[in-house]
Amino acid sequence: MPIHQPQQRSDAAPGETLGVQQAEAALVEHYPRLVRLAYVVLPPALGRHRRVLAAHGAVQRALPGAGTAPDRMRVPAQSRRSPEAAGAPANAPYAWMRLRVLRTALAYERRPRWWPGRLPAPAALRPVLPVVWGLRLFPRAGGVDELALDRALSGVPGTVRAAFALQLLDGMADFGVRELLAEAGADDPAGAVRRAARLGRPDRAGSQVLLRSGEFDPCTVQTRPSDLLRRRNRMRAAALAAALCVVAGTLAVAAEKGVRDEAPGAGVTVPVLDPSALLRTAAEQWADTSRIDFTAWPVRGDRRDDAELLGRALRAWSEPSENVQVSTTPGTVDVPPAQPPRLLFAGEVDGAAVVLFQDGGVRIVRYAEPLAGGGGAALDFARTDDADVTTAAAVVVSRTGERARFLLAPWISETTTRDLLAPDTPGRPLEVGPDGITAPVGRPAAGGACDAWPVLQLRSSERIVEKHAFLVTDLGDLAPAHLTYTPKPGGGAPARQPREATGPEALLAWARTACSLRALSGSGVRAVNNWAFAEQQLPEGEASAEWLCTRADTWRGPGRVLVQFLQPAASPTAPAAVVADRDDTALCSRFGQHILAGTHWKAASGRWYVLAAGSRAVNRIEAAGQVKSTAGGPTLAVRAPRDASVRLTAGLRGGGTLAAVR
């Protein structure tokens, strides 16, 4: 049964001293809160296992020793001046302990000026208790929203994470956070508070709930065994290292003399062309990092140690010959690597030796050479900067005829394939080999009849995110495009956010718009979202129609928008009518949240109408030109000749006007 500690409050004023027993009582009472605060502030680069241990260590070391001088236990000045949220402790011993925990956690990113930039901060190198042997510790995996918040926090400094946690976990006002960060030794407390205020927007209340979830709770953890094979090999390596030390000492003098005798630069291999210099990620690192992208992929394939194959691939990349066919997705450079790339795969697939590299977090490079015959090699480049759990989930390793094989990310736990043009047909299991390569998957037809659109439905491991399935489709690039869906606006509900396109409503929308993806083939598309921005009751008592904005975001930045009109149809796969197409636009993104579109429509009676619809902020639509009409609200329908020239504009609830997209 739970044991409830009696709460101990202190009337100590700022500047007064505390006793060790008061500090200990505060630590026991608020231990989970302090450990969560430390975990959020600590650098995500430590990995989840080390972060959990470091968070507990930071709180446990914050307790002063019995002989601590009283003048070193003064109440922080801000502990009485900062109004805090209900439920957040505001007593002086807690404030004093919180300050000590913050100082320790922030020290993990603090480097002296003389400290080498490539090394972790001194605090991160210091061995601390507690220590766990033979097990890896992880907080419980959350959902997609928790993963997105963790990724956002990993991209800001520790002082910003601290300000964010103090605002949302302890409910501190901005001036209190600034004073506390200043006492903790932060360089720019005001700047940290300003940056923290931008995190979690627009739903700060939702971010507060996420920050209090199991994803950020290092007191409730799951365990996994460490790498057992590596642990066994370490014992052997230790014995071997002892023997080698004797040999190394004997050879050191001779080696030094030989180096002095050689001409400068003689026999030196360029590091980026040296297969032994390739970066290789450990097999289980993906489960112990907050950066879920291609950098977390372990190296796979039965030829990953084939130095000759890797050398040919690197030389072809550095200086391709006439026999090497080079292709790049738009916005991708094909220059040689500036530093040793990361090896993802090297093996034999469909009669070719295939090598996959990742270069500096911004490019994926695939090299393929035939195993037999006189054909030339191929070298393909694709941008992958800022990839995440979905857009780094798969890479095409082979295309033969109308089929393709994919190499899946290590965090994919379940793989099925389905047809977007058969929304009611469940997905079929897809076989995946031990190296993560799928069985052949049908490719969408590039021309002719569009009677099928194969996609992969993937599920992420619960070790990183719970209950997360998503769709990706092959659009002709190395990385498949992620498909999402934003549902219709609800009455008075907040603006909807894109979600995974695996539900019935999303699949029905994609069944009518999938064939429009042909227009995006080979354009370097990262993700495509179907936004149902309006629903309109059709004239003459007919059923309702939907307006969709299909937005394709590319890896290089610019987006393309197709506005599609879904009128009632006998078939659930009847293609929608594309009524607008615009390149290089922010429309239908978080930077372009308002849209107005129109089309001509013929009723069953044979009469023609001009229809228009706008997004949720539109409260007035006006038609001008050969037809003049005004409608209050987000939709308009007016009788008009079939080819009438009409200009459409809309008024927005917050003020301003909007022209129709064409």
Side-chain angles (χ1 to χ4, degrees):
M1 62 182 295
I3 300 175
H4 297 278
Q5 298 278 350
Q7 293 191 354
Q8 299 191 20
R9 298 292 175 185
S10 171
D11 295 327
E16 293 185 6
T17 60
L18 302 172
V20 174
Q21 291 183 347
Q22 291 175 291
E24 183 180 11
L27 183 144
V28 172
E29 181 182 351
H30 304 298
Y31 187 82
R33 179 185 292 272
L34 290 168
V35 175
R36 186 187 294 265
L37 174 64
Y39 183 81
V40 174
V41 177
L42 285 165
L46 292 175
R48 291 191 289 175
H49 173 78
R50 288 191 61 199
R51 251 171 108 191
V52 167
L53 296 179
H56 285 274
V59 175
Q60 293 171 17
R61 294 201 311 277
L63 185 65
T68 303
D71 61 348
R72 298 186 61 185
M73 297 184 61
R74 294 191 179 277
V75 180
Q78 47 74 37
S79 66
R80 286 297 183 192
R81 296 206 302 271
S82 177
E84 302 184 6
N91 60 332
Y94 169 78
W96 188 81
M97 292 294 295
R98 179 176 60 189
L99 173 60
R100 286 175 62 88
V101 169
L102 275 177
R103 282 174 177 162
T104 302
L106 290 173
Y108 276 75
E109 287 187 355
R110 194 172 294 133
R111 292 177 172 85
R113 292 182 179 178
W114 51 267
W115 191 257
R118 293 191 176 185
L119 288 180
L125 298 175
R126 208 177 293 137
V128 297
L129 296 175
V131 175
V132 175
W133 291 95
L135 288 176
R136 310 289 291 175
L137 307 181
F138 311 94
R140 290 181 305 169
V144 180
D145 294 334
E146 287 89 341
L147 192 64
L149 178 60
D150 194 31
R151 184 179 177 86
L153 291 173
S154 68
V156 297
T159 53
V160 179
R161 293 192 297 271
F164 184 73
L166 293 169
Q167 290 168 343
L168 270 62
L169 293 179
D170 280 7
M172 292 183 66
D174 288 353
F175 70 86
V177 175
R178 286 193 296 269
E179 289 187 354
L180 181 54
L181 289 179
E183 288 192 71
D187 293 333
D188 182 15
V193 171
R194 286 194 299 270
R195 291 185 64 181
R198 295 195 291 267
L199 287 173
R201 297 291 183 187
D203 187 10
R204 291 277 283 189
S207 297
Q208 185 179 49
V209 173
L210 296 179
L211 206 59
R212 291 174 175 170
S213 68
E215 177 84 16
F216 300 96
D217 182 9
C219 290
T220 306
V221 297
Q222 297 174 318
T223 62
R224 294 285 189 277
S226 59
D227 192 329
L228 301 177
L229 183 61
R230 185 187 302 172
R231 198 191 317 167
R232 187 182 306 159
N233 289 339
R234 281 174 183 162
M235 298 299 295
R236 298 173 182 170
L240 180 61
L244 289 177
C245 284
V246 178
V247 178
T250 305
L251 297 178
V253 175
E256 183 179 356
K257 182 179 185 299
V259 169
R260 282 198 301 265
D261 291 343
E262 288 183 3
V268 176
T269 301
V270 180
V272 295
L273 301 181
D274 184 0
S276 65
L278 291 170
L279 304 179
R280 297 173 183 242
T281 302
E284 290 294 311
Q285 183 169 320
W286 63 270
D288 192 21
T289 178
S290 61
R291 182 175 177 178
I292 307 297
D293 58 14
F294 288 108
T295 62
W297 278 39
V299 59
R300 288 169 287 178
D302 55 7
R303 298 186 66 176
R304 57 183 177 270
D305 295 320
D306 187 337
E308 292 186 4
L309 172 62
L310 300 178
R312 288 196 300 273
L314 290 169
R315 287 191 296 273
W317 182 357
S318 178
E319 200 170 346
S321 66
E322 295 179 356
N323 295 327
V324 177
Q325 183 179 354
V326 179
S327 70
T328 61
T329 56
T332 310
V333 295
D334 59 0
V335 298
Q339 56 190 359
R342 187 180 307 276
L343 179 62
L344 304 182
F345 176 85
E348 298 178 4
V349 187
D350 293 333
V354 178
V355 182
L356 279 177
F357 300 107
Q358 190 242 9
D359 180 34
V362 298
R363 290 187 296 176
I364 289 291
V365 182
R366 181 183 64 185
Y367 171 83
E369 63 180 29
L371 295 175
L379 193 62
D380 305 311
F381 296 83
R383 281 186 65 166
T384 56
D385 35 330
D386 293 326
D388 57 22
V389 67
T390 56
T391 51
V395 171
V396 174
V397 289
S398 171
R399 285 194 180 97
T400 55
E402 297 179 353
R403 293 183 173 274
R405 291 182 190 264
F406 297 85
L407 178 64
L408 300 181
W411 56 82
I412 299 302
S413 61
E414 183 181 315
T415 309
T416 58
T417 181
R418 66 183 309 148
D419 182 3
L420 283 185
L421 299 188
D424 296 329
T425 303
R428 301 181 303 278
L430 181 64
E431 183 181 350
V432 180
D435 277 338
I437 295 181
T438 68
V441 180
R443 297 175 57 196
C450 182
D451 51 12
W453 198 278
V455 296
L456 294 179
Q457 180 164 321
L458 308 176
R459 182 175 295 277
S460 301
S461 168
E462 292 192 355
R463 294 174 67 179
I464 60 169
V465 59
E466 289 184 339
K467 299 177 182 178
H468 178 225
F470 55 96
L471 301 183
V472 295
T473 188
D474 183 5
L475 293 183
D477 300 314
L478 285 182
H482 178 209
L483 303 182
T484 57
Y485 175 73
T486 305
K488 297 186 290 287
R496 306 287 184 93
Q497 299 296 320
R499 56 196 63 184
E500 302 304 346
T502 53
E505 185 181 348
L507 291 173
L508 287 172
W510 272 110
R512 300 197 60 183
T513 56
C515 292
S516 66
L517 292 172
R518 282 180 167 181
L520 307 174
S521 179
S523 56
V525 172
R526 171 196 182 105
V528 188
N529 180 53
N530 257 347
W531 173 29
F533 68 86
E535 186 174 22
Q536 181 173 21
Q537 186 67 40
L538 296 173
E540 302 186 13
E542 297 202 24
S544 61
E546 273 192 26
W547 294 78
L548 289 181
C549 182
T550 303
R551 177 178 175 83
D553 285 312
T554 62
W555 290 100
R556 65 189 186 279
R560 180 176 178 181
V561 159
L562 302 175
V563 179
Q564 309 198 57
F565 179 66
L566 280 65
Q567 59 184 330
S571 169
T573 62
V578 177
V579 301
D581 184 348
R582 182 178 292 184
D583 283 319
D584 299 336
T585 178
L587 283 172
C588 305
S589 73
R590 60 193 180 107
F591 302 110
Q593 300 180 15
H594 308 307
I595 188 171
L596 172 69
T599 187
H600 291 79
W601 175 78
K602 184 181 180 181
S605 64
R607 288 187 284 268
W608 283 88
Y609 290 82
V610 166
L611 305 180
S615 49
R616 63 193 306 274
V618 170
N619 62 1
R620 183 173 179 272
I621 299 178
E622 181 177 338
Q626 290 181 274
V627 176
K628 293 180 172 58
S629 181
T630 301
T635 61
L636 174 144
V638 57
R639 284 279 306 275
R642 175 177 181 176
D643 299 321
S645 176
V646 181
R647 296 188 305 278
L648 296 169
T649 56
L652 302 176
R653 273 201 303 268
T657 60
L658 186 68
V661 60
R662 296 177 179 273

